[in-house]
Amino acid sequence: MTAASRRLHAAAFALVMAGTAHAAPSAETMMRLSRAVLKVSALGDGDNLSIGSAVVIGPDSALTNCHVTRQAHTIVLSRGMDRHKVVGQRADMSRDLCLLRTAQPLPYPAVDIRAARTLAPGERVLAHGYSGGMEAQFARGTVIDLHAAGGSHIIQTTAGFLRGASGGGLFDEAGHLVGITTFLTAARRPEYFAVPADWAERLRERPEAPPAPLSGAALWAQLPAHQPWFMRVLEPLARQDWAAVARLADDWMAAEPHAPAGALMCSRAAYALDDTARRETCLARALAAAREDEIELLRIAAWARSMGLQDALVAATSALARIRPIPRGE
């Protein structure tokens, strides 16, 4: 390898890994987060009780998943022996995000929201919620991927959670709320997803109503033909059924011709199927579509680096370098 190549690889590594190293959260931060995540008890007809979690984001407001409260006419937030009745709800069933308002101010610290677009794959995160519906628990993990959706990004993470943690918080190590832990898949290995907390900004514009059953379905609960494209490929990816992935990637590119993720998925499938011409065509399309999108360029660079595709790695990191400088000292 030439000196120039070594410098390019060093620059690539610096750009792909920049932003993934952070200090562990302090004990003070952990305590603050433990007080900001509440248990949700949502009572519907026929004593139908749903248990979940919610994150305090304002003096009298908390964010949760609508699938936790969708059948409820009575909603109560609690921590320990303290109970706080919910009197208003703003709902976006499609995004599975509900903003709850209590009658009285909540005696807990509100957390700050960080935009999902500022995250990076590999960044460490904490999930906190009432996993299993019992005591609140922390789970450490990392950001695996960021999937463009609704003007933000759905976060795929290794920070695991169970039923009862729906509506809980996904936090960065500084204690900022980045996502609401929402759904997991049951492939060969579980995949965990959080909807972006920055969707709450648009949620505040929706009309408020007293708690009552909600209609509609969350994006992740739709029939496969109506789910986001990244979800449709999860199962064949888990099976390593690359022919099926290739077919879905072609459909993805046809439906969303300007989406870099679909073209990259096409290139990944072509690589696995040993179709060099198709791999290069799809990769070029992904790079062209991602030229100003840092998250998509990081995804391309990380995959190219893992596969040893030097030309693609250089192209992606060169585009990244135009967006942000290479960190000093690397």
Side-chain angles (χ1 to χ4, degrees):
M1 182 182 291
T2 66
S5 295
R6 285 194 295 272
R7 285 194 297 273
L8 284 170
H9 276 281
F13 183 78
L15 283 164
V16 172
M17 296 304 295
T20 63
H22 297 272
S26 65
E28 180 182 359
T29 297
M30 298 286 281
M31 179 60 69
R32 178 167 54 84
L33 296 184
S34 71
R35 297 186 65 239
V37 177
L38 308 179
K39 187 174 183 177
V40 179
S41 299
L43 183 65
D45 293 334
D47 293 330
N48 178 25
L49 179 64
S50 176
I51 300 296
S53 306
V55 185
V56 179
I57 64 168
D60 60 355
S61 59
L63 202 58
T64 189
N65 289 136
C66 292
H67 75 259
V68 174
T69 65
R70 64 171 301 164
Q71 303 295 336
H73 51 68
T74 301
I75 305 172
V76 176
L77 304 179
S78 61
R79 185 175 187 271
M81 299 300 293
D82 295 335
R83 302 287 186 272
H84 309 276
K85 186 173 182 179
V86 172
V87 296
Q89 178 173 231
R90 301 176 193 269
D92 186 337
M93 271 301 304
S94 176
R95 294 182 173 182
D96 202 1
L97 211 55
C98 278
L99 184 62
L100 310 178
R101 182 176 63 84
T102 54
Q104 302 296 327
L106 293 165
Y108 312 112
V111 298
D112 294 325
I113 292 175
R114 175 183 167 190
R117 68 177 181 275
T118 66
L119 291 168
E123 185 168 343
R124 291 195 290 265
V125 288
L126 289 166
H128 189 44
Y130 285 79
S131 203
M134 302 299 288
E135 297 297 322
Q137 301 174 27
F138 282 101
R140 296 177 183 270
T142 60
V143 174
I144 297 177
D145 209 344
L146 297 157
H147 304 282
S152 186
H153 293 80
I154 293 174
I155 304 160
Q156 185 174 350
T157 178
T158 61
F161 53 89
L162 299 173
R163 184 179 178 88
S166 290
L170 187 69
F171 302 94
D172 68 13
E173 294 205 308
H176 300 112
L177 179 66
V178 296
I180 297 296
T181 52
T182 301
F183 66 97
L184 60 109
T185 63
R188 290 186 178 181
R189 65 168 187 237
E191 305 279 357
Y192 302 96
F193 297 87
V195 297
D198 53 51
W199 273 351
E201 185 175 344
R202 297 295 299 272
L203 191 58
R204 296 181 192 277
E205 301 171 3
R206 289 183 171 252
E208 182 181 276
L214 303 169
S215 60
L219 57 84
W220 58 269
Q222 301 280 354
L223 293 172
H226 300 289
Q227 288 178 345
W229 283 100
F230 79 86
M231 289 191 64
R232 302 186 206 186
V233 300
L234 289 174
E235 186 176 347
L237 275 175
R239 300 196 313 267
Q240 295 189 342
D241 183 350
W242 291 106
V245 172
R247 289 191 296 272
L248 284 168
D250 286 344
D251 292 342
W252 189 349
M253 290 190 297
E256 299 179 1
H258 302 295
L264 178 60
M265 192 60 65
C266 169
S267 188
R268 289 178 58 185
Y271 181 90
L273 295 169
D274 201 24
D275 186 342
T276 303
R278 183 65 172 162
R279 183 199 79 203
E280 293 179 352
T281 298
C282 291
L283 191 53
R285 178 169 171 171
L287 285 165
R291 60 186 179 276
E292 299 295 333
D293 190 322
E294 184 172 329
I295 288 175
E296 298 295 345
L297 288 169
L298 282 169
R299 179 187 287 119
I300 295 169
W303 179 71
R305 183 174 183 271
S306 69
M307 297 294 104
L309 301 174
Q310 182 176 337
D311 290 347
L313 179 59
V314 171
T317 52
S318 296
L320 279 167
R322 289 193 293 270
I323 298 173
R324 69 180 191 187
I326 297 171
R328 293 181 180 274
E330 298 290 345

